Amino acid sequence: MANDHDLRACVVTHGALFAEHGHAAVPLFDPELIRAAQADIAEHIDRVSHALYLPFDQSCPDAPLSERIDRVFAHERSVANLLRAAICTDAHRGPRLQALVNDPRLIGTAERLGDRKLSGKIARVRASIACFPAHRHAWHSDVARDDGTGCGKVVVTAWIPLSDAGPERGGLEIAAGRQPAPLASQGDDGFEIPEWRLAGLPRVQPECPAGTVLFLDRFTPHRTLPARRARFALVVWMKAA
């Protein structure tokens, strides 16, 4: 983790890139602190599993977190989906994850990159799990309707992978280039961005080692890459003050 002086210099360097390309990967946290936050997810799976009629040992408690949901899926698909939904709904409330959400370096860096004061925020855990390919996010931007209300107030998103992420580990793919407005088209799939709207935009798949935060502008198109082993990320959507 960089000291304050190094972090300020890093943010200055990345600020111009963010302004041009709509994204920036900033080394912000101690990698071990990030990896330790995965314990909140493991504990949440245990908590939910203990509440089920299904015997707890069938929730594969001894499996690594990166394999556990896939192993449950092999014999209890509906339970695996319930655990996936529980993770993405409520695991962000864990104490280690909340410490990251509320770390002043996070919003401070986002404000400097976006050159705008921020206040409100929403946090959730997101997952790329091999047994649930339908739940990988297709091309979208975090603001699909720029109406100034609700999600339209989001200015910068912080995507914080809880383990090393990248092209081979279920990271994100980005259509680079700062956009003046959303590219989404509303249809049967919600606000998915069709491929033709991305024609001519360079595609990048950033390497994001644990401790690196990928900051995204609100209109930057991105999607989830497949993962051979489950990959979890804490996502913080930060709103205009």
Side-chain angles (χ1 to χ4, degrees), residues 37 41 91-93 96-101 106 123-126 158-162 213 231-236:
I41 297 174
H92 66 280
R93 302 180 194 276
R96 303 169 187 86
L97 293 171
Q98 280 295 299
L100 297 174
V101 171
L106 190 68
R124 293 290 186 274
V125 171
R126 291 293 178 255
W159 186 78
I160 312 169
L162 301 180
V213 178
R231 187 269 304 143
F232 301 93
L234 176 66
V235 184
V236 185

Side-chain angles (χ1 to χ4, degrees), residues 126-179:
R126 291 293 178 255
S128 179
I129 304 173
C131 62
F132 290 112
H135 288 280
R136 291 198 303 267
H137 288 98
W139 285 112
H140 70 285
S141 60
D142 291 323
V143 172
R145 181 188 289 130
D146 187 18
D147 58 6
T149 65
C151 292
K153 293 182 179 179
V154 170
V155 177
V156 178
T157 298
W159 186 78
I160 312 169
L162 301 180
S163 57
D164 294 346
E168 303 301 321
R169 302 184 184 92
L172 296 187
E173 183 173 22
I174 296 169
R178 191 84 173 266
Q179 300 299 323

Side-chain angles (χ1 to χ4, degrees), residues 41-47 49-50 56-75 80 83 129 131 230 232:
I41 297 174
E43 290 168 9
H44 194 54
I45 295 174
D46 286 348
R47 186 181 302 109
S49 298
H50 274 298
F56 178 71
D57 61 4
Q58 292 187 34
S59 71
C60 305
D62 296 328
L65 179 61
S66 60
E67 301 175 12
R68 188 171 180 181
I69 301 299
D70 287 304
R71 291 193 188 181
V72 175
F73 183 87
H75 60 85
L83 295 175
I129 304 173
C131 62
F232 301 93

